[in-house]
Each structure stands twice: as structure tokens, then as C-alpha cells.
Amino acid sequence: MNVHKISSEWNLAQFYTSDTDAQIEKDMQAIEKACAAFEKKYRGKPFIKSERGMYDALTAYVGLYEKVSGAKPLVYFHYRQALNSSDASVAAKIALLGERMTKAGNKLIFFDVTLSKTPVPLQKKYLKSKKLALFRHVLENIYESGKHTLTEAEERILSLKGQTDGMWVDGVDRALNKRVVTFKDEQVPINEAIPKMGMLTEKADRDLLWEGIHGELKTIHDFCEAELNAFYTSKKISDELRKYEHPYSATLFSHEMDGKTVFGLRDAVNSRMDIAHRFFALKKKLLKLQEMRMHDCNAPLMTGQKKMTFAESHESVRAAFAAFDPDYVRIFDRAFASGHVDVFPKVGKSGGAFHSKTLNNPGVILLNHVDDIRSAFTLAHEMGHLVHSSLAEEAQHVLYRDYSTATAEVASRFAERVYFEHILPTLSKEEQIALRMKVAYEDMNNIFHAISDFNIEHRFYTEVYKRGFVPFDEMCQIFVEENKKCFGKAVTVKPEDGYRIIYISHFRLRYYLYSYAFGSLVARALHAKVQADRAFIPSLKAFMQAGSSKRPAAIFKSIGIDVSKPDFFQVGLDAIEADVQALEKLLSK
Ligand SMILES: [Zn+2]
């Protein structure tokens, strides 16, 4: 029996009573006024010259940061849009308020630039100062970024010029969106045809659809060749001006990660691609295929998918959390009691699922629950994010409630595993196979495929930085080589598969791919620790409570984990291997 209050819709009245609530304009003007007043008070003033001046300016900045980073009016309309994307008046509000927020925010650029140009002896003094202790980590990051910050005028030029990178990507996207694939008697827009390959149960249908998709991709490959080269070249120019040593340096800097850890992770995963090979061999066997191509890898398995209503997933995820830790179930219940979870699909509502947390506003979760066990896992995943952001909020000063992109997926993947262990023993053998295949497939994507794509992206960048231009055919060849290493013998990767680089957006997101693998493998290692000894749970929570108060490596070190050692990632990889082994055993009987 579930006696807890459950609300299955967002209650946006907690933000504003309606789109025309007079408080929206009042809040917006308060933000604009605060930014203008701050600029007037500190721009061109010698506040960096004394500890006292620094303390006053930084304290004033914290108050401002709460208002600007919370951005309640804009957040409200973004959530309204997520519930109904077709409401044109909401889109107009977002555009208008967004522009006003950018203008207000631009008034503050001088502050970062001024701080970043602090003379080194003063930097050293402030980093040791007791009075400025609260701001130490913020200052460390600003001083470090100062090494890569240009003058205000140059920064403005780069920021204006940077807008055109997005236009290239949009151009290819738009050209792609216009393509229509002929499939049997149907005309399928290419962006529906690509995910459709993973839904077709007949091999012949998948082959036919891929053939149509490939035919359409071919028509825009010249454009894509220019786009990718322009995109990478533009980044090369910025990196040279900003004196970043490697193509990945800027991204890792913003994630507060170091190259040794990330490339240690990459090498660890590259050395265990045999785990992926074994998984895809199993999938091929289950699909009873003579030849398995890339477009077969996501093909559905017909049986064993457990049905679950929302009431059932709510109850079972809640039970898993309750058995795990009081904080987990407390945060879970609070979200459902307070109208912070929007559960069901609706016309106009955005697809997929997400968790969103902004400063001083409640964390919210959007789901599109359909009646199956996958939706229950999505609920566990998004709740994991909410536990992370809630614990950080409760423990940290407003400056440090966020967390690095590198650690963003740790808590969510961890929560999925907690739910997996809870639900698995209750399932039939057929359901267990289906669930294990789903979970392992996600690990293949998040870990082995993410690192394979990371390898591809790294080779693209390295070649463009070295030679200035890489022909499309060569990019395809790189794609094919790396995918062969990832899939192994079970999957036939052909040269035409390289055309996928046209629509895989990851290659335009600047080195963030490793963070999927990092999050998944850290989550599995933490889970192994908890399984070995539940006394580790407070350390797990300490990681979440730390928010962004330290670099991720330092946070992990404080709970006894050294992510800079490549050996560390073997713990997670061994756990994934054990999952694949369990599947091999289940399927051999
Ligand atoms: Zn997530």
C-alpha cells in the first residue's frame, strides 16, 4: 500500500501564479537593476588591490549571483515551454526575457576579466587569506582562467565571431531535416527514419531503411565536410589565441578535470573493448543473425519486457530507495508531494526525460512515463540527479551548489544500479534477460561507444590541427576503424557506415563524451564499495554534498578514491564484465 501523497504534475504556481503574474516583471527588473548597480559600483574601481576591497566586492557579487543564476522568470517560462512547446506566446517571452538576461549579464563580464588579471603576488596572498576563505575555490578557477583570458575587446570579438560556429552546425542540421527517405510505400523524414531503425524487428526492413538513409546522407556529405573542418578550425584559432596546449584542454579546464585522468580512463576502456565484443556477440545470437551490421545493434528483443504502471514504478523505485538510505527516500517523497515531477506524456510536452535545478528554485523532474520497466529506470535515474542536487544544496554555500559536468552522471547512474539490484530478484528468467540486455546495452553506449567516439573526435581534431583540412572520406575511414575496434568480430562495419558522422551530434560538442564513461564507471566503482560495505554510504553522500566546492579529483580523494590511477577504472570495468558474464550464463542454458 502506498500511502504517500503523490502529485503527478508540476505545480508551477510555486514559481508564479500565471504567465501574466505582475511579480514576473518585478523580479526581472530587480535582476536588471542589481546588475546595473553592481557595474556602477565596481567597474574601473581598485577593489582587487586590498583584501577588504576584495571581500566587499565578492560578497556583493554573491547576492547578485543568486539573482542572476536563479533567473526565476526565465526558468518559469522554460518549464512552461517544456510542458507545451507549441505555445507561441511562451516562446516569445523566452526570447524577450533571454535577451534582457544576456544584456544584464554582459554588464558583469568586466568583473571576471578584472579578477583574472590580478597580479600574481596578490593572487597568492588572496588564495591564502582567511578572510577570503569562502571564495578560495572560485578565485582559484578565475586565476587559472586568467592565463587563457584575452583583453575585454578581444574577448568581445571572439564571442561575436563564435556565433558563426553554431550556424555551420545548424546549416547541416537543416539540410538533414529536409531529407526524406523512401521506405516501402512510405515517405519518412530522415530524423524519424534514423531512430526507426532501432524499432524494426525484421532484418530485411532494417537493411532497406539504412540503404535509404545512406542514399540521402550521401547528398549532403560535401556540406558536412566543409562544416566539420570549419568547426574544428575555428576552435583551433581560439585555442591558439588563448594559449591552450591541446584541443581538449579548454573543455577539461571547464570541467575541472586533468588530462592524465581522462586519458587514463580512455586507455583503460580501450584496453577492455573485449567486453563490448562479447556483448555484441550475444546480441547477434539473440537476434539469430548471420551478419550483424551497425544498424542492427539497437534492434528490439521481442520478449520479456516487464509492464509497469506508473503507480507500480513509483512504489518499486520508492521501495528500493527506502531500503537503501533515508535521505534517498526523503528526497523522493518530497518531490512527489510538492509537485516537482511531471509524469505522463502529453500533447506538446517535450520528449525524453530530464532533471533541472536552478539556484534557490526547487529541483524538478520531467518524465514521459509509458507502462514499462524502462520508465521505472528513467524515474530512478532522474531521482538520482535530484538526490545529488538536493544534498549539495543542503550542504553547500550558494557558490558551490552546482557540480562539474564530469560528475553529473555519477549519482544518476548509481541510483539506476540501486534500483537494478532491488528489482532483479523479483523478475522471471525471461524478464531478467531482457532487463540485463537493456542495462548492458546502455553500458556499451555510455562507456565503450562513448570512448570509441571520443577516440574518433580526438583523431579528427588532431588531424585538423596538424594539417588544416581533412577530407570527408578520411573522416569516414577513421570512424570505421574505431568502430571496428569497439564492435569486434560480431558486427560488420562497412565504409558506408562512416556517413553517420553527418548526423552524430557528439562530434560537434567538443570533447565532452568522456564524461559519460567517467560517470558510469565511477558510479559502478562506488556501487561496488557500497555492496562490499554499507558503511561506505556516508562517503557516497559526502561526494554529493561536496557540490562544486572542490575539483572532482579532490572530492573523490576525500572519500578515499584516486581517479588519477587508471587501475581505479578497472573496478567498474570488471563489474560490467561480470554483468556480461551473467548474461552469457543465462543464455547458455
Ligand atoms: Zn542523466
Side-chain angles (χ1 to χ4, degrees):
M1 255 294 278
N2 211 321
V3 290
H4 308 275
K5 184 178 172 248
I6 308 174
S7 160
S8 63
E9 289 194 321
W10 278 350
N11 173 14
L12 294 185
Q14 296 170 62
F15 288 78
Y16 297 110
T17 53
S18 76
D19 293 4
T20 51
D21 188 335
Q23 193 60 40
I24 297 176
E25 184 54 29
K26 277 186 198 157
D27 286 351
M28 200 58 212
Q29 285 185 13
I31 293 171
E32 290 169 326
K33 270 188 198 149
C35 290
F38 185 86
E39 186 189 29
K40 196 166 168 219
K41 187 158 180 199
Y42 291 105
R43 190 181 187 114
K45 303 289 159 44
F47 61 90
I48 60 165
K49 290 194 175 144
S50 74
E51 205 177 37
R52 176 85 234 170
M54 283 287 284
Y55 181 81
D56 289 344
L58 286 165
T59 304
Y61 186 74
V62 170
L64 193 64
Y65 174 74
E66 286 197 66
K67 282 202 184 70
V68 175
S69 180
K72 201 168 147 193
L74 200 55
V75 169
Y76 167 77
F77 281 108
H78 273 300
Y79 293 162
R80 286 269 296 109
Q81 186 172 52
L83 292 181
N84 186 3
S85 59
S86 55
D87 191 330
S89 73
V90 169
K93 285 272 189 200
I94 289 175
L96 214 68
L97 292 175
E99 223 180 284
R100 284 171 70 181
M101 281 300 297
T102 307
K103 264 191 195 154
N106 281 346
K107 293 196 160 71
L108 309 177
I109 292 175
F110 82 92
F111 192 60
D112 264 16
V113 175
T114 311
L115 287 174
S116 74
K117 300 295 174 198
T118 304
V120 174
L122 275 179
Q123 289 186 12
K124 283 188 180 148
K125 184 180 157 196
Y126 295 155
L127 289 177
K128 280 192 210 127
S129 157
K130 274 212 179 94
K131 197 175 174 66
L132 300 176
L134 171 65
F135 309 105
R136 186 169 301 145
H137 189 53
V138 171
L139 289 175
E140 273 169 1
N141 283 336
I142 292 176
Y143 293 157
E144 190 56 35
S145 79
K147 295 176 189 163
H148 309 288
T149 309
L150 307 173
T151 65
E152 226 185 308
E154 287 166 331
E155 286 292 336
R156 213 172 306 141
I157 295 168
L158 275 187
S159 130
L160 292 170
K161 177 198 84 72
Q163 295 172 6
T164 58
D165 290 356
M167 288 176 190
W168 274 100
V169 178
D170 280 354
V172 166
D173 224 34
R174 246 178 268 165
L176 194 63
N177 282 337
K178 285 197 182 127
R179 313 317 302 171
V180 175
V181 179
T182 307
F183 175 61
K184 296 182 173 173
D185 294 331
E186 273 178 88
Q187 296 290 307
V188 190
I190 198 164
N191 283 341
E192 287 171 30
I194 292 165
K196 195 183 166 95
M197 285 188 296
M199 295 171 212
L200 297 172
T201 51
E202 294 299 320
K203 165 79 174 151
D205 287 347
R206 291 193 297 268
D207 286 344
L208 187 68
L209 187 56
W210 166 248
E211 201 182 299
I213 291 169
H214 175 237
E216 290 303 320
L217 290 175
K218 266 203 224 157
T219 64
I220 49 174
H221 82 276
D222 287 336
F223 185 10
C224 172
E225 177 184 71
E227 175 232 13
L228 283 176
N229 277 286
F231 187 81
Y232 292 157
T233 303
S234 167
K235 182 165 156 52
K236 179 188 172 191
I237 294 166
S238 304
D239 280 348
E240 279 174 5
L241 290 170
R242 293 185 184 284
K243 300 193 168 45
Y244 279 115
E245 200 182 343
H246 305 288
Y248 50 84
S249 303
T251 298
L252 299 195
F253 173 72
S254 77
H255 295 179
E256 300 190 41
M257 293 289 283
D258 58 86
K260 188 179 167 229
T261 300
V262 171
F263 281 83
L265 161 73
R266 181 200 68 169
D267 293 344
V269 175
N270 277 341
S271 74
R272 295 308 314 273
M273 287 292 179
D274 57 298
I275 300 170
H277 302 173
R278 282 162 66 183
F279 172 80
F280 286 107
L282 276 179
K283 179 107 196 206
K284 186 177 179 182
K285 189 174 146 191
L286 269 176
L287 291 171
K288 300 189 174 73
L289 295 176
Q290 293 293 320
E291 184 191 54
M292 182 152 99
R293 298 277 310 276
M294 279 184 79
H295 53 265
D296 295 317
C297 291
N298 196 21
L301 298 165
M302 269 145 300
T303 51
Q305 181 91 269
K306 187 177 168 62
K307 294 274 164 221
M308 278 173 104
T309 64
F310 167 62
E312 286 164 343
S313 10
H314 177 276
E315 189 165 344
S316 88
V317 175
R318 186 184 185 280
F321 278 20
F324 182 69
D325 179 74
D327 275 326
Y328 272 69
V329 74
R330 170 177 66 83
I331 291 162
F332 183 97
D333 283 342
R334 186 178 63 193
F336 277 108
S338 321
H340 296 163
V341 190
D342 204 88
V343 176
F344 298 106
K346 277 172 242 175
V347 178
K349 179 172 163 178
S350 68
F354 65 75
H355 152 267
S356 163
K357 176 78 182 86
T358 43
L359 202 58
N360 294 341
N361 301 316
V364 300
I365 288 174
L366 179 138
L367 306 170
N368 278 284
H369 198 287
V370 289
D371 290 347
D372 66 19
I373 196 170
R374 284 168 186 262
S375 297
F377 271 88
T378 307
L379 170 60
H381 179 101
E382 301 307 334
M383 274 294 168
H385 283 304
L386 188 65
V387 170
H388 193 174
S389 68
S390 301
L391 291 180
E393 177 173 49
E394 289 162 14
Q396 288 297 327
H397 183 268
V398 290
L399 284 173
Y400 301 118
R401 287 181 187 167
D402 211 351
Y403 39 76
S404 160
T405 304
T407 58
E409 290 302 325
V410 175
S412 52
R413 300 283 288 153
F414 184 92
E416 277 186 63
R417 196 67 197 179
V418 167
Y419 183 54
F420 175 83
E421 299 289 343
H422 176 85
I423 192 87
L424 191 74
T426 69
L427 302 179
S428 70
K429 185 186 166 190
E430 200 183 29
E431 288 168 345
Q432 288 196 12
I433 293 172
L435 178 61
R436 281 188 172 280
M437 285 302 290
K438 166 198 138 63
V439 167
Y441 184 73
E442 277 160 17
D443 283 330
M444 297 307 128
N445 268 338
N446 283 310
I447 300 166
F448 302 98
H449 235 106
I451 291 301
S452 174
D453 281 350
F454 179 91
N455 292 333
I456 294 166
E457 186 186 24
H458 187 49
R459 286 179 66 183
F460 285 177
Y461 273 111
T462 308
E463 291 305 312
V464 172
Y465 277 40
K466 206 162 58 190
R467 290 152 49 199
F469 187 87
V470 181
F472 185 82
D473 286 347
E474 197 179 325
M475 287 190 173
C476 285
Q477 201 187 325
I478 290 172
F479 180 92
V480 168
E481 279 170 26
E482 294 298 331
N483 272 286
K484 278 185 176 163
K485 288 184 207 160
C486 178
F487 283 117
K489 281 197 200 109
V491 182
T492 311
V493 184
K494 294 190 176 173
E496 65 185 57
D497 289 319
Y499 280 76
R500 287 165 184 260
I501 62 175
I502 297 172
Y503 66 80
I504 298 179
S505 57
H506 293 153
F507 299 130
R508 288 108 175 137
L509 293 173
R510 302 186 178 104
Y511 277 102
Y512 92 119
L513 267 162
Y514 81 89
S515 66
Y516 284 118
F518 185 78
S520 295
L521 287 174
V522 171
R524 282 310 287 276
L526 293 176
H527 189 262
K529 285 221 168 226
V530 170
Q531 273 200 318
D533 185 0
R534 287 182 56 87
F536 188 73
I537 293 177
S539 298
L540 164 78
K541 289 199 279 185
F543 145 68
M544 294 189 268
Q545 284 158 340
S548 58
S549 59
K550 287 185 253 181
R551 293 172 66 82
I555 294 172
F556 289 123
K557 202 151 222 170
S558 72
I559 60 164
I561 284 171
D562 188 352
V563 292
S564 71
K565 281 209 192 108
D567 278 359
F568 162 73
F569 296 106
Q570 294 300 337
V571 180
L573 287 163
D574 288 345
I576 311 285
E577 185 181 25
D579 282 351
V580 173
Q581 235 157 21
L583 266 170
E584 286 169 342
K585 224 172 132 190
L586 276 167
L587 290 167
S588 70
K589 281 181 209 151

